[in-house]
């Protein structure tokens, strides 16, 4: 039947994911093309589903924040606040686009690590975000006191 055929195809695809690397049986991550065409099915062992759903929620939170920043940048660009408002609007838009790219990369990186049973804290990303926020605060103070805004 159709259901049996689909289950057999899923089993075959799952067995293809297993690869032998240097005598070590590891799960290799499928290509983006494979994921888009066929989907990606994981065995739900232990906390697999919970971990992947948490990864998705985190990704979606970052995307929501990036979209909010894009909205803020559009508001700044629409606002007739002079050259400073335009410059800040463009900077916020670039930060939002960088956030989208970085969060997408982090999502897929986390997915690969979850599949391998690894966990790597995002220390570099946290340090980068802190530095960006500190630079933004410093820039705001400099503009405020320099131009008497």
């Amino acid at each position: 039947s159709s259901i049996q055929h689909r289950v057999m195809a899923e089993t075959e695809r799952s067995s293809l994911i297993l690869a032998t690397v240097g005598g070590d049986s590891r799960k290799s991550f499928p290509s983006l093309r494979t994921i888009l065409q066929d989907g990606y099915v994981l065995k739900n062992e232990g906390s697999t589903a919970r971990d992947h759903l948490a990864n998705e929620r985190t990704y979606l939170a970052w995307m929501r924040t990036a979209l909010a920043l894009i909205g803020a940048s559009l508001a700044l660009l629409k606002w007739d606040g002079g050259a400073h408002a335009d410059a800040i609007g463009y900077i916020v838009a670039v930060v939002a686009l960088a956030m989208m790219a970085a969060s997408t990369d982090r999502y897929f990186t986390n997915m690969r690590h979850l599949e391998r049973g690894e966990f790597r804290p995002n220390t570099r990303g946290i340090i980068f975000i802190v530095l960006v926020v500190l630079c933004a605060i410093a820039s705001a103070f400099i503009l405020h006191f320099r131009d008497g805004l």
Side-chain angles (χ1 to χ4, degrees), residues 36-56:
L36 292 175
Q37 286 178 345
D38 303 327
Y40 189 55
V41 178
L42 301 172
K43 249 186 184 178
N44 189 15
E45 298 172 338
S47 64
T48 301
R50 184 175 52 237
D51 294 342
H52 283 279
L53 289 172
N55 188 29
E56 267 186 47

Side-chain angles (χ1 to χ4, degrees), residues 38-138:
D38 303 327
Y40 189 55
V41 178
L42 301 172
K43 249 186 184 178
N44 189 15
E45 298 172 338
S47 64
T48 301
R50 184 175 52 237
D51 294 342
H52 283 279
L53 289 172
N55 188 29
E56 267 186 47
R57 282 190 303 273
T58 303
Y59 172 68
L60 292 173
W62 279 104
M63 291 301 281
R64 182 180 58 236
T65 303
L67 289 172
L69 285 175
I70 288 175
S73 74
L74 291 173
L76 284 167
L77 292 171
K78 278 286 229 190
W79 179 44
D80 191 25
H84 289 301
D86 287 349
I88 293 170
Y90 287 121
I91 290 169
V92 169
V94 168
V95 167
L97 293 174
M99 184 182 289
M100 285 182 168
S103 63
T104 301
D105 177 63
R106 180 74 180 157
Y107 171 76
F108 285 108
T109 300
N110 280 342
M111 185 184 285
R112 281 191 297 276
H113 288 303
L114 286 171
E115 283 304 300
R116 294 178 188 147
E118 301 171 347
F119 175 73
R120 291 192 183 162
N122 189 15
T123 53
R124 287 180 289 172
I126 299 299
I127 291 169
F128 178 73
I129 289 170
V130 168
L131 291 174
V132 167
V133 169
L134 288 175
C135 288
I137 292 170

